[in-house]
Structure formats: structure tokens, C-alpha cells
Amino acid sequence: MGSVGGEAVSLKRSLGLPLTVLYGLGVTIGAGIYVLVGATAARAGFHAPLSFIIAALVMAPSAATFAELASRLPTSAGEAAYVKEGFQSDRLALVVGLMVAAIGIISAAAIARGSAGYIREFLDWPFDLIVLLVILSMGAIAAWGIVESVAFAGVMTLIEVGGLLIIIVLAAVTVPDLGSRLPEAWPGLSNANAWSGVLGASLIAFFAFTGFEGLANIAEEVKSPGWTIPRAILITLVLTTLLYVLVVWVALNVIPHDELGTDGAPLSRVFERLTGTAPFAFSAIAILATVNGVVIYIVMSSRVIYGLASRGLLPRKIAHVSPYTRTPLIATGLVISAVVLLGLAFPIEGLAEMTSRLTLIVFVFVNSALIAIKRRGIPAPANAYVAPNWVPVVGLVTSICLLLSEALS
């Protein structure tokens, strides 16, 4: 932490429920549907909506686990704090905290590459140069200040949700058999090949829901976190699931799945087919959606690194908070550097799968930590959200099952 006049400078509690929800929606929607609809469709074909539903069902119990733990321990580097509380191990807490930071860094790199695909609709610049400029410019916004960063993300989130709603409404008006073809999304229980594709695509679709756990990592900057964060997590998960299923179904009815899977700007192409016009306006919306995700993931990862350092699990100098921006500038700089390296080195599908695997491993630890806390009978603070005892058990089992299904597919 920094200091002013000899007094320690800490993070500022300034986010209410609306901005917290917009943060959650921004980090999930920009990362998920704008970037990965093509990759998911390429694996699962016309059954891709099922992949998103399975991913949401895997997420749901873990979301409730995070809601309780965020109520109990509203702090930056939340997952590390939860594991420390559950297992009384600094070393395990550090490992989990670093995995969470890695998730945010890898996610930001993946989304930056997705953003570059849309930006190239306008600029014929080298792909890697666009990726670099996106990361550096969004990193500057992340370093500016938490209210400024989240307010920027909130405006972008409203625009990106508007873009998805435009596609849904256009399809409802112009695609006559959109509803009547819904039974085709179900492959039947005996179609092993189809289910293999659905489950394989679920790991990519799972990436589209990573975001709500990031809400736990801005807890030190949220007003009344025990009340706000559980509600923000629930609202984020419900709204993103509904939007994802509708949009991917529209996309599959407008463009063949094999063509959709090879397009660098898939939703722009959907808009073009629906309207018969050049998709420049929609591509601009997609750019805003994806760069928004980059900002939010940089913010999340930097808060995790800050939280680990402030607890002495990393060098305390990294926890320095600027008295001017009230943000952890050293931690933010480290995160930006790592995002640049990954964003220039790996393809988007590989980054998304890497993120999903790490997230599921973190979920295993976090659900196990809540099971341990509940078994020890540690009381929750007054007015905290408390999940039923079976919730973290189901979260643990579903996370392990998705990991195993991906490994065996």
C-alpha cells in the first residue's frame, strides 16, 4: 500500500450494485459470446446451445459457493483468502491465488486476440500490432482508477448487451423457423459422437461464464459487499446464460456451423446475413465489447496480485497503492506485461481452454474450502448469504466431472 502524509493508502469502497453487476456482465459477455461463438459451434455444431447450458449448470453451484464466501470474506484475492480459511495453509493459498491471477491474465490475452479480429474489419494492420495496442491502451484505463475503469466498463457493457439484443430481435423478425427448429438442438441420448462434441465444446463455453468469480476480487472496493456481491453474482449468471443460449441459436440458424467456426468476426457476419448490409456498425459494437473484457480482466488480476502481496504472500512492494489513482500500479504493470506476452504467443482457442481448465481447478479448491469451513462450524457474519450444505459438494463434483470429461474426450 502507498501512503499520504504518513498514512496508509488503501483501496476505496465506491461500487454499488449497478456498477458491480455491470462489471460482472462486462467480463463475461465480452469474453464469451462475441469471441467464442464460432469456436463452440465448430465443435458442437447445431447442438452448441447445449454446451452453454451445461457450462451454466456447472457454474451454478460454484456461483453460490462464491456468493457465501464473498459474504464471509470480502477481500481482494478472494479465492486465496477462502482457501487459507478452509485449509489453514499459506502455501496452498498462494498457489490458488496465482492460478486466479493467471486466469485473468490468460483471459485478457484471449479477448485481446478476439478484439483484433473485429478491429481488422476496419484497419488492415498487422494482427500482433493490434493486439499489443489493445492491451496497452486498456491497461492504461485499468491503471487510471477503479471507478473510472468500472464506469468505462459499465458503458461498454450496456453497448455490448444492446448489440446482442439487436441480433436476437432481428432474427425473431426475419428467421421464420427459429423456434420450430429448437428440437434439432437435442442430439438424443444415444448419439455418442454428438455428445462428445457437446462436452468438448462445454469447456470452451465454460470460459464464457468466467467472470462472476472475478466479482470476489473487487470486494474491497464494493459498498456493503456481503449484500452486494451475492446478488451481483446471481444476476450476472442468469442474464448471461439467457443471452448466450439465444445468441448462439440465432447464429447457428443464420450461418452453417462449419463456416461460423472459421470466421474471425462471427457475430458481425451474423448481423450481415440478417440485414444484408455491411456489418461496420456491429463490428464497432463487438470491438467495444471485447476491449471492455480486457480492461476488466486486467483490473481483476491486478487486484489478486495486490491482495496476495498485501498479505505477505508476495513481496509487499507489489501491494503499493498510488496516492493519486488509488490503484495498485505495480501489480497492474506486472499483469499488463504478462498479458502482452501471452496475447502475442498463443491462439484464442488454446487460451480459452487453458483458462477453463485453471478455473475448474480453482473451483475444486474453493468448493472444498467452503465444505471445510462449514464442517468446522465457523459461523457466517450477520446478514451474510449462506448456501445450503450440499451446494459446495455439488460444485466440487460438477467441476471435477467437467475436467474429467474434457480429459477423456
Side-chain angles (χ1 to χ4, degrees):
M1 295 187 291
S3 64
V4 176
E7 294 184 6
V9 178
S10 60
L11 301 179
K12 182 181 179 182
R13 292 199 183 277
S14 51
L15 304 178
L17 182 62
L19 279 179
T20 306
V21 169
L22 286 174
Y23 177 94
L25 289 174
V27 75
T28 50
I29 291 173
I33 206 68
Y34 279 90
V35 173
L36 295 175
V37 59
T40 307
R43 287 201 181 186
F46 219 63
H47 313 302
L50 280 177
S51 298
F52 284 95
I53 291 172
I54 289 171
L57 290 174
V58 171
M59 275 287 189
S62 293
T65 292
F66 270 89
E68 175 169 344
L69 288 169
S71 294
R72 287 175 174 266
L73 299 163
T75 180
S76 297
E79 292 90 341
Y82 309 153
V83 170
K84 170 68 186 314
E85 181 74 11
F87 299 106
Q88 302 296 300
S89 170
D90 284 335
R91 183 171 298 178
L92 192 56
L94 175 60
V95 169
V96 171
L98 290 176
M99 280 197 290
V100 173
I103 288 167
I105 289 166
I106 298 167
S107 299
I111 303 165
R113 292 187 67 86
S115 177
Y118 285 104
I119 292 172
R120 292 192 81 191
E121 298 276 295
F122 297 92
L123 298 175
D124 188 22
W125 292 3
F127 185 85
D128 285 349
L129 175 61
I130 295 175
V131 172
L132 178 64
L133 292 176
V134 165
I135 295 169
L136 293 179
S137 57
M138 294 306 104
I141 291 174
W144 182 15
I146 186 63
V147 172
E148 292 80 5
S149 299
V150 177
F152 171 85
V155 173
M156 297 302 102
T157 297
L158 292 174
I159 293 171
E160 68 193 41
V161 170
L164 298 182
L165 292 176
I166 287 170
I167 281 190
I168 293 168
V169 171
L170 284 173
V173 173
T174 61
V175 182
D177 55 352
L178 193 64
S180 63
R181 296 190 68 185
L182 270 174
E184 298 177 43
W186 178 254
L189 295 176
S190 60
N191 192 338
N193 286 336
W195 279 106
S196 176
V198 167
L199 291 174
S202 292
L203 190 69
I204 295 178
F206 186 83
F207 174 81
F209 290 94
T210 57
F212 76 81
E213 75 284 0
L215 291 169
N217 291 306
I218 60 168
E220 288 188 33
E221 294 159 284
V222 172
K223 300 173 184 176
S224 304
W227 183 91
T228 301
I229 291 180
R231 286 162 177 77
I233 287 173
L234 174 63
I235 294 169
T236 296
L237 186 60
V238 170
L239 291 181
T240 51
T241 302
L242 182 62
L243 284 170
Y244 288 169
V245 171
L246 289 174
V247 170
V248 75
W249 182 244
V250 167
L252 289 166
N253 276 272
V254 173
I255 299 178
H257 67 85
D258 51 349
E259 182 182 344
L260 195 64
T262 59
D263 199 303
L267 290 188
S268 290
R269 214 62 56 228
V270 172
F271 180 85
E272 185 176 25
R273 297 286 175 88
L274 285 170
T275 63
T277 62
F280 295 126
F282 193 86
S283 293
I285 292 173
I287 291 169
L288 295 177
T290 49
V291 298
N292 182 28
V294 177
V295 172
I296 293 176
Y297 271 117
I298 290 175
V299 169
M300 186 269 282
S301 295
S302 64
R303 290 338 184 249
V304 175
I305 297 295
Y306 160 84
L308 293 173
S310 66
R311 292 180 182 83
L313 298 175
L314 291 174
R316 288 193 179 274
K317 184 176 291 188
I318 296 174
H320 172 76
V321 174
S322 168
Y324 306 105
T325 64
R326 296 291 290 273
T327 58
L329 290 183
I330 295 176
T332 302
L334 291 173
V335 167
I336 293 169
S337 300
V339 174
V340 168
L341 290 174
L342 290 174
L344 298 178
F346 292 96
I348 189 169
E349 291 85 355
L351 290 167
E353 290 181 2
M354 199 185 312
T355 299
S356 296
R357 291 189 190 99
L358 282 174
T359 301
L360 285 167
I361 293 169
V362 169
F363 282 8
V364 168
F365 280 111
V366 170
N367 281 295
S368 299
L370 183 56
I371 292 170
I373 289 170
K374 286 178 175 289
R375 283 185 175 175
R376 295 210 305 272
I378 300 174
N383 301 320
Y385 167 77
V386 178
N389 289 343
W390 56 264
V391 164
V393 176
V394 174
L396 174 64
V397 171
T398 53
S399 297
I400 291 173
C401 286
L402 189 55
L403 271 172
L404 290 177
S405 70
E406 190 276 335
L408 297 174
S409 63

